[in-house]
Amino acid sequence: FVAESTVYLTNQGGGSASTLFLQRDATAILFYTNDKKMDLDLYRNQGIFATEWFVANQTSASDVVLAVERALQRRGFYNVTESSKTQ
């Protein structure tokens, strides 16, 4: 499952270790709490997939949707048109 994912949403910590199996150019969207991004150095230096960080319970759903759209754009699966940006 993870190895075939383009976008993977998970909380930080032990459960996020499965992101290490993401394919090249995938995106991991990580949610963190208490102003502490666990394993930040690992994610900054891995270079295989992109990471985006969001504060859990303080991030709007529309921000997460935009992050997913960016991830799909990076892979060439999705083009945002002007009409979809305004919806």
Side-chain angles (χ1 to χ4, degrees), residues 1-10 15 18-24 26-27 75:
F1 170 73
V2 176
E4 297 174 4
S5 298
T6 298
V7 182
Y8 188 68
L9 288 81
T10 185
S18 54
T19 59
L20 299 176
F21 298 100
L22 284 170
Q23 61 184 320
R24 181 175 297 280
T27 299
R75 292 294 308 268

PDB file of all heavy atoms in Angstrom, residues 1-10 15 18-24 26-27 75:
ATOM      1  N   PHE A   1       0.815  -1.190   0.000  1.00  0.00           N
ATOM      2  CA  PHE A   1       0.000   0.000   0.000  1.00  0.00           C
ATOM      3  C   PHE A   1       0.862   1.259   0.000  1.00  0.00           C
ATOM      4  O   PHE A   1       0.722   2.106  -0.856  1.00  0.00           O
ATOM      5  CB  PHE A   1      -0.960  -0.024   1.188  1.00  0.00           C
ATOM      6  CG  PHE A   1      -1.675   1.268   1.421  1.00  0.00           C
ATOM      7  CD1 PHE A   1      -2.685   1.660   0.575  1.00  0.00           C
ATOM      8  CD2 PHE A   1      -1.335   2.087   2.477  1.00  0.00           C
ATOM      9  CE1 PHE A   1      -3.347   2.856   0.787  1.00  0.00           C
ATOM     10  CE2 PHE A   1      -1.992   3.277   2.693  1.00  0.00           C
ATOM     11  CZ  PHE A   1      -3.007   3.665   1.845  1.00  0.00           C
ATOM     12  N   VAL A   2       1.740   1.406   0.957  1.00  0.00           N
ATOM     13  CA  VAL A   2       2.551   2.618   1.070  1.00  0.00           C
ATOM     14  C   VAL A   2       3.469   2.772  -0.129  1.00  0.00           C
ATOM     15  O   VAL A   2       3.622   3.863  -0.680  1.00  0.00           O
ATOM     16  CB  VAL A   2       3.363   2.617   2.385  1.00  0.00           C
ATOM     17  CG1 VAL A   2       4.285   3.818   2.455  1.00  0.00           C
ATOM     18  CG2 VAL A   2       2.433   2.611   3.584  1.00  0.00           C
ATOM     19  N   ALA A   3       4.085   1.704  -0.569  1.00  0.00           N
ATOM     20  CA  ALA A   3       5.031   1.767  -1.682  1.00  0.00           C
ATOM     21  C   ALA A   3       4.371   2.218  -2.984  1.00  0.00           C
ATOM     22  O   ALA A   3       5.050   2.714  -3.878  1.00  0.00           O
ATOM     23  CB  ALA A   3       5.695   0.411  -1.885  1.00  0.00           C
ATOM     24  N   GLU A   4       3.058   2.093  -3.076  1.00  0.00           N
ATOM     25  CA  GLU A   4       2.337   2.495  -4.279  1.00  0.00           C
ATOM     26  C   GLU A   4       1.647   3.843  -4.131  1.00  0.00           C
ATOM     27  O   GLU A   4       1.018   4.319  -5.073  1.00  0.00           O
ATOM     28  CB  GLU A   4       1.317   1.428  -4.635  1.00  0.00           C
ATOM     29  CG  GLU A   4       1.960   0.091  -4.962  1.00  0.00           C
ATOM     30  CD  GLU A   4       0.939  -1.018  -5.170  1.00  0.00           C
ATOM     31  OE1 GLU A   4      -0.275  -0.728  -5.132  1.00  0.00           O
ATOM     32  OE2 GLU A   4       1.360  -2.149  -5.366  1.00  0.00           O
ATOM     33  N   SER A   5       1.771   4.474  -2.981  1.00  0.00           N
ATOM     34  CA  SER A   5       1.068   5.732  -2.703  1.00  0.00           C
ATOM     35  C   SER A   5       1.780   6.928  -3.312  1.00  0.00           C
ATOM     36  O   SER A   5       3.008   6.991  -3.329  1.00  0.00           O
ATOM     37  CB  SER A   5       0.940   5.944  -1.196  1.00  0.00           C
ATOM     38  OG  SER A   5       0.174   4.919  -0.621  1.00  0.00           O
ATOM     39  N   THR A   6       0.997   7.866  -3.776  1.00  0.00           N
ATOM     40  CA  THR A   6       1.529   9.137  -4.254  1.00  0.00           C
ATOM     41  C   THR A   6       1.494  10.159  -3.139  1.00  0.00           C
ATOM     42  O   THR A   6       2.408  10.957  -2.978  1.00  0.00           O
ATOM     43  CB  THR A   6       0.708   9.648  -5.457  1.00  0.00           C
ATOM     44  OG1 THR A   6       0.841   8.688  -6.507  1.00  0.00           O
ATOM     45  CG2 THR A   6       1.200  10.989  -5.933  1.00  0.00           C
ATOM     46  N   VAL A   7       0.430  10.131  -2.339  1.00  0.00           N
ATOM     47  CA  VAL A   7       0.280  11.025  -1.195  1.00  0.00           C
ATOM     48  C   VAL A   7      -0.062  10.168   0.006  1.00  0.00           C
ATOM     49  O   VAL A   7      -0.933   9.298  -0.065  1.00  0.00           O
ATOM     50  CB  VAL A   7      -0.841  12.060  -1.428  1.00  0.00           C
ATOM     51  CG1 VAL A   7      -0.950  13.010  -0.253  1.00  0.00           C
ATOM     52  CG2 VAL A   7      -0.622  12.824  -2.721  1.00  0.00           C
ATOM     53  N   TYR A   8       0.640  10.410   1.106  1.00  0.00           N
ATOM     54  CA  TYR A   8       0.427   9.617   2.321  1.00  0.00           C
ATOM     55  C   TYR A   8       0.244  10.580   3.483  1.00  0.00           C
ATOM     56  O   TYR A   8       1.131  11.370   3.780  1.00  0.00           O
ATOM     57  CB  TYR A   8       1.630   8.707   2.538  1.00  0.00           C
ATOM     58  CG  TYR A   8       1.471   7.702   3.647  1.00  0.00           C
ATOM     59  CD1 TYR A   8       0.574   6.657   3.531  1.00  0.00           C
ATOM     60  CD2 TYR A   8       2.233   7.790   4.798  1.00  0.00           C
ATOM     61  CE1 TYR A   8       0.433   5.719   4.540  1.00  0.00           C
ATOM     62  CE2 TYR A   8       2.097   6.858   5.815  1.00  0.00           C
ATOM     63  CZ  TYR A   8       1.198   5.819   5.680  1.00  0.00           C
ATOM     64  OH  TYR A   8       1.057   4.903   6.687  1.00  0.00           O
ATOM     65  N   LEU A   9      -0.910  10.533   4.135  1.00  0.00           N
ATOM     66  CA  LEU A   9      -1.199  11.384   5.283  1.00  0.00           C
ATOM     67  C   LEU A   9      -1.066  10.555   6.547  1.00  0.00           C
ATOM     68  O   LEU A   9      -1.644   9.462   6.644  1.00  0.00           O
ATOM     69  CB  LEU A   9      -2.622  11.940   5.195  1.00  0.00           C
ATOM     70  CG  LEU A   9      -2.858  13.004   4.135  1.00  0.00           C
ATOM     71  CD1 LEU A   9      -3.068  12.413   2.780  1.00  0.00           C
ATOM     72  CD2 LEU A   9      -4.022  13.869   4.531  1.00  0.00           C
ATOM     73  N   THR A  10      -0.316  11.077   7.523  1.00  0.00           N
ATOM     74  CA  THR A  10      -0.101  10.345   8.761  1.00  0.00           C
ATOM     75  C   THR A  10       0.257  11.306   9.887  1.00  0.00           C
ATOM     76  O   THR A  10       0.650  12.445   9.652  1.00  0.00           O
ATOM     77  CB  THR A  10       1.010   9.283   8.578  1.00  0.00           C
ATOM     78  OG1 THR A  10       1.113   8.497   9.771  1.00  0.00           O
ATOM     79  CG2 THR A  10       2.352   9.920   8.282  1.00  0.00           C
ATOM     80  N   GLY A  15       4.188   5.770  13.886  1.00  0.00           N
ATOM     81  CA  GLY A  15       3.354   5.394  12.755  1.00  0.00           C
ATOM     82  C   GLY A  15       3.829   5.962  11.440  1.00  0.00           C
ATOM     83  O   GLY A  15       3.539   5.428  10.370  1.00  0.00           O
ATOM     84  N   SER A  18       6.414   4.256   8.269  1.00  0.00           N
ATOM     85  CA  SER A  18       6.057   3.615   7.007  1.00  0.00           C
ATOM     86  C   SER A  18       6.299   4.536   5.812  1.00  0.00           C
ATOM     87  O   SER A  18       6.384   4.063   4.678  1.00  0.00           O
ATOM     88  CB  SER A  18       4.605   3.143   7.031  1.00  0.00           C
ATOM     89  OG  SER A  18       3.750   4.212   7.361  1.00  0.00           O
ATOM     90  N   THR A  19       6.460   5.836   6.050  1.00  0.00           N
ATOM     91  CA  THR A  19       6.766   6.747   4.945  1.00  0.00           C
ATOM     92  C   THR A  19       8.105   6.400   4.297  1.00  0.00           C
ATOM     93  O   THR A  19       8.338   6.757   3.142  1.00  0.00           O
ATOM     94  CB  THR A  19       6.815   8.218   5.405  1.00  0.00           C
ATOM     95  OG1 THR A  19       7.814   8.361   6.416  1.00  0.00           O
ATOM     96  CG2 THR A  19       5.470   8.677   5.927  1.00  0.00           C
ATOM     97  N   LEU A  20       8.956   5.702   4.997  1.00  0.00           N
ATOM     98  CA  LEU A  20      10.257   5.330   4.440  1.00  0.00           C
ATOM     99  C   LEU A  20      10.119   4.410   3.234  1.00  0.00           C
ATOM    100  O   LEU A  20      11.074   4.233   2.476  1.00  0.00           O
ATOM    101  CB  LEU A  20      11.121   4.674   5.512  1.00  0.00           C
ATOM    102  CG  LEU A  20      11.436   5.571   6.717  1.00  0.00           C
ATOM    103  CD1 LEU A  20      12.202   4.794   7.766  1.00  0.00           C
ATOM    104  CD2 LEU A  20      12.185   6.810   6.295  1.00  0.00           C
ATOM    105  N   PHE A  21       8.925   3.855   3.035  1.00  0.00           N
ATOM    106  CA  PHE A  21       8.688   2.970   1.900  1.00  0.00           C
ATOM    107  C   PHE A  21       7.984   3.670   0.738  1.00  0.00           C
ATOM    108  O   PHE A  21       7.635   3.028  -0.250  1.00  0.00           O
ATOM    109  CB  PHE A  21       7.871   1.754   2.343  1.00  0.00           C
ATOM    110  CG  PHE A  21       8.581   0.933   3.378  1.00  0.00           C
ATOM    111  CD1 PHE A  21       8.263   1.051   4.718  1.00  0.00           C
ATOM    112  CD2 PHE A  21       9.592   0.063   3.001  1.00  0.00           C
ATOM    113  CE1 PHE A  21       8.931   0.305   5.668  1.00  0.00           C
ATOM    114  CE2 PHE A  21      10.268  -0.688   3.947  1.00  0.00           C
ATOM    115  CZ  PHE A  21       9.936  -0.571   5.283  1.00  0.00           C
ATOM    116  N   LEU A  22       7.796   4.980   0.845  1.00  0.00           N
ATOM    117  CA  LEU A  22       7.149   5.712  -0.244  1.00  0.00           C
ATOM    118  C   LEU A  22       7.997   5.681  -1.509  1.00  0.00           C
ATOM    119  O   LEU A  22       9.223   5.643  -1.448  1.00  0.00           O
ATOM    120  CB  LEU A  22       6.909   7.173   0.158  1.00  0.00           C
ATOM    121  CG  LEU A  22       5.751   7.432   1.103  1.00  0.00           C
ATOM    122  CD1 LEU A  22       5.781   8.872   1.598  1.00  0.00           C
ATOM    123  CD2 LEU A  22       4.430   7.131   0.423  1.00  0.00           C
ATOM    124  N   GLN A  23       7.330   5.737  -2.634  1.00  0.00           N
ATOM    125  CA  GLN A  23       8.029   5.764  -3.916  1.00  0.00           C
ATOM    126  C   GLN A  23       8.685   7.126  -4.131  1.00  0.00           C
ATOM    127  O   GLN A  23       8.328   8.114  -3.495  1.00  0.00           O
ATOM    128  CB  GLN A  23       7.065   5.444  -5.042  1.00  0.00           C
ATOM    129  CG  GLN A  23       5.906   6.428  -5.168  1.00  0.00           C
ATOM    130  CD  GLN A  23       4.937   6.011  -6.235  1.00  0.00           C
ATOM    131  OE1 GLN A  23       5.330   5.547  -7.284  1.00  0.00           O
ATOM    132  NE2 GLN A  23       3.647   6.178  -5.969  1.00  0.00           N
ATOM    133  N   ARG A  24       9.616   7.175  -5.030  1.00  0.00           N
ATOM    134  CA  ARG A  24      10.298   8.424  -5.382  1.00  0.00           C
ATOM    135  C   ARG A  24       9.263   9.447  -5.856  1.00  0.00           C
ATOM    136  O   ARG A  24       8.336   9.118  -6.577  1.00  0.00           O
ATOM    137  CB  ARG A  24      11.319   8.159  -6.477  1.00  0.00           C
ATOM    138  CG  ARG A  24      12.104   9.377  -6.900  1.00  0.00           C
ATOM    139  CD  ARG A  24      13.186   9.042  -7.886  1.00  0.00           C
ATOM    140  NE  ARG A  24      14.195   8.136  -7.339  1.00  0.00           N
ATOM    141  CZ  ARG A  24      15.197   8.527  -6.541  1.00  0.00           C
ATOM    142  NH1 ARG A  24      15.313   9.776  -6.183  1.00  0.00           N
ATOM    143  NH2 ARG A  24      16.070   7.631  -6.110  1.00  0.00           N
ATOM    144  N   ALA A  26       6.945  10.905  -4.228  1.00  0.00           N
ATOM    145  CA  ALA A  26       5.678  10.914  -3.506  1.00  0.00           C
ATOM    146  C   ALA A  26       5.713  12.059  -2.482  1.00  0.00           C
ATOM    147  O   ALA A  26       6.719  12.761  -2.356  1.00  0.00           O
ATOM    148  CB  ALA A  26       5.456   9.580  -2.799  1.00  0.00           C
ATOM    149  N   THR A  27       4.627  12.249  -1.754  1.00  0.00           N
ATOM    150  CA  THR A  27       4.563  13.278  -0.723  1.00  0.00           C
ATOM    151  C   THR A  27       4.007  12.688   0.559  1.00  0.00           C
ATOM    152  O   THR A  27       2.995  11.994   0.539  1.00  0.00           O
ATOM    153  CB  THR A  27       3.661  14.450  -1.164  1.00  0.00           C
ATOM    154  OG1 THR A  27       4.211  15.039  -2.341  1.00  0.00           O
ATOM    155  CG2 THR A  27       3.557  15.511  -0.081  1.00  0.00           C
ATOM    156  N   ARG A  75       3.674  15.146  -9.316  1.00  0.00           N
ATOM    157  CA  ARG A  75       3.741  13.867 -10.028  1.00  0.00           C
ATOM    158  C   ARG A  75       3.139  13.945 -11.417  1.00  0.00           C
ATOM    159  O   ARG A  75       3.163  12.981 -12.166  1.00  0.00           O
ATOM    160  CB  ARG A  75       3.023  12.780  -9.221  1.00  0.00           C
ATOM    161  CG  ARG A  75       3.666  12.376  -7.926  1.00  0.00           C
ATOM    162  CD  ARG A  75       5.011  11.680  -8.122  1.00  0.00           C
ATOM    163  NE  ARG A  75       4.959  10.576  -9.049  1.00  0.00           N
ATOM    164  CZ  ARG A  75       4.746   9.313  -8.723  1.00  0.00           C
ATOM    165  NH1 ARG A  75       4.599   8.978  -7.475  1.00  0.00           N
ATOM    166  NH2 ARG A  75       4.705   8.378  -9.647  1.00  0.00           N
TER     167      ARG A  75
END
